Amino acid sequence: MKKITILVLTSLLMSGCSSPTILASTVQSADYQKGLEAYNEGNFKISYAKFSSLAGQGNASAQYNLGVMYANGKGVTKDDKQAVNWYRKAAEQGYAFAQYNLGVMYANGKGVTKDDKQAVNWYRKAAEQGYAFAQGTLGVMYENGQGVTKNYKQALEFYKKSNTKWSKKKYAVLKKRSELSDCTTKLFGLSIKCANRDSLMVAIKKAGATVKLEDKQKWGDLYNSKSLLKGSSELAVDYTVDDYFAKATYTFSSYMDKNQVTNVRSFVSAKYGEPDYSDGKVSLGNVTYKWYLEDGIELKVSRGWPNTTTYLSFIYPENYQAMLNEQEKQKKAREAKQYKSQSNAF
């Protein structure tokens, strides 16, 4: 597991960085300016005194700066616990640089117990404010599976958002690696992202399913799935207009058992880990869980209400959307033809 090197942003204290957050801090009180000037001149004890006074008044920039000073041992005895304390105070006020540095402290176990999930939590808060280093570091966490389920797609998205020289290199390397292993999710022994209708029809029946409907003139096929997946009743598989995989859905009839969705979620989690997305309450209403797999396949467990039938779907979003677009196109063509044939009737 890779260790993320702690990045203490002393240069931000010294340079008047172009970040909006830092620029806002440069127009604060005269005491804050004196603290910056003292820091730049190496008078760390004076700088510490100014920042300490302001930090006690709730100034997030000063709190963050104190965290930096404790982390570096500038003007004070180096103390990671105190660094965490001041980073946290500023982070809880929404200060992006403090949120990021607090995440780094959790990632490295500096001043706190090492906790990758907490690291990801604080990185994400900073990333949501557009902080490039946090976005890039989230890419690392997703690439390595630190604090989150390993997910190359998410890693690529964060590297792309970060747009730093370093993250661009990471993006290029990971993109190439992803392309080499682009079809990893398997169903019936086939990489479904790259599977076509003919191969899936054979594989599904070979696995023991019985056919309820197979018709290449239709968008999908339907199978009795009782012998495939315990508790399920049907498997529906949908395809694009050129017969490539788009979506596969198992149906689990629950007979008003509201906990059925939890049962399905549990056995999916046993294989794929905790879901990346959760919505709804099991006790009442619609419920959805999603897993975003490495090759772009989306795995979804969902339930409606009051009908508690539960569905487990494997979706290739690009092909599924292409299928829906083609269905809509054909529907409009049929409607146009129908209207044309009736034009002489009115």
Side-chain angles (χ1 to χ4, degrees), residues 51-167:
F51 290 144
S52 182
S53 176
L54 291 168
Q57 299 172 40
N59 185 298
S61 300
Q63 291 169 343
Y64 164 77
N65 292 347
L66 279 184
V68 171
M69 296 183 79
Y70 273 109
N72 283 336
K74 299 288 189 181
V76 291
T77 301
K78 180 177 170 59
D79 188 331
D80 287 334
K81 288 186 178 181
Q82 279 295 326
V84 167
N85 173 55
W86 289 110
Y87 286 151
R88 191 183 305 279
K89 289 180 184 295
E92 289 175 348
Q93 294 193 64
Y95 200 75
F97 299 119
Q99 291 169 339
Y100 175 75
N101 275 21
L102 184 55
V104 172
M105 301 299 272
Y106 272 110
N108 289 312
K110 298 285 189 179
V112 288
T113 302
K114 179 177 171 59
D115 188 332
D116 285 338
K117 288 186 177 180
Q118 278 294 319
V120 167
N121 174 57
W122 289 108
Y123 292 149
R124 196 181 302 278
K125 291 179 185 295
E128 288 172 352
Q129 298 190 62
Y131 186 36
F133 278 113
Q135 292 166 336
T137 305
L138 270 179
V140 172
M141 302 300 273
Y142 272 104
E143 181 179 353
N144 295 332
Q146 293 172 261
V148 289
T149 302
K150 183 181 290 189
N151 189 319
Y152 287 169
K153 182 180 180 182
Q154 286 290 302
L156 286 168
E157 288 183 5
F158 279 113
Y159 287 146
K160 190 172 183 179
K161 285 181 180 179
S162 176
N163 201 31
T164 62
K165 185 177 181 180
W166 169 81
S167 63

Side-chain angles (χ1 to χ4, degrees), residues 265-282:
R265 175 196 182 279
S266 294
F267 75 70
V268 173
S269 294
K271 182 174 182 178
Y272 293 100
E274 291 300 304
D276 298 299
Y277 170 89
S278 300
D279 184 58
K281 296 182 178 179
V282 173

Side-chain angles (χ1 to χ4, degrees), residues 297-324:
I297 293 294
E298 179 182 301
L299 185 56
K300 181 170 75 171
V301 173
S302 59
R303 181 200 71 191
W305 191 268
N307 185 340
T308 55
T309 296
T310 298
Y311 302 94
L312 165 60
S313 300
F314 291 80
I315 306 166
Y316 181 10
E318 182 178 334
N319 281 6
Y320 184 57
Q321 188 60 53
M323 183 191 79
L324 295 178

Side-chain angles (χ1 to χ4, degrees), residues 233-290:
S233 57
E234 288 185 343
L235 170 65
V237 187
D238 299 321
Y239 300 92
T240 63
V241 69
D242 49 354
D243 284 336
Y244 280 93
F245 172 81
K247 181 180 181 181
T249 301
Y250 283 103
T251 298
F252 295 82
S253 299
S254 70
Y255 306 106
M256 302 308 295
D257 178 4
K258 64 184 180 182
N259 292 315
Q260 177 74 293
V261 69
T262 303
N263 297 334
V264 177
R265 175 196 182 279
S266 294
F267 75 70
V268 173
S269 294
K271 182 174 182 178
Y272 293 100
E274 291 300 304
D276 298 299
Y277 170 89
S278 300
D279 184 58
K281 296 182 178 179
V282 173
S283 59
L284 180 70
N286 297 343
V287 177
T288 301
Y289 303 108
K290 292 182 181 180

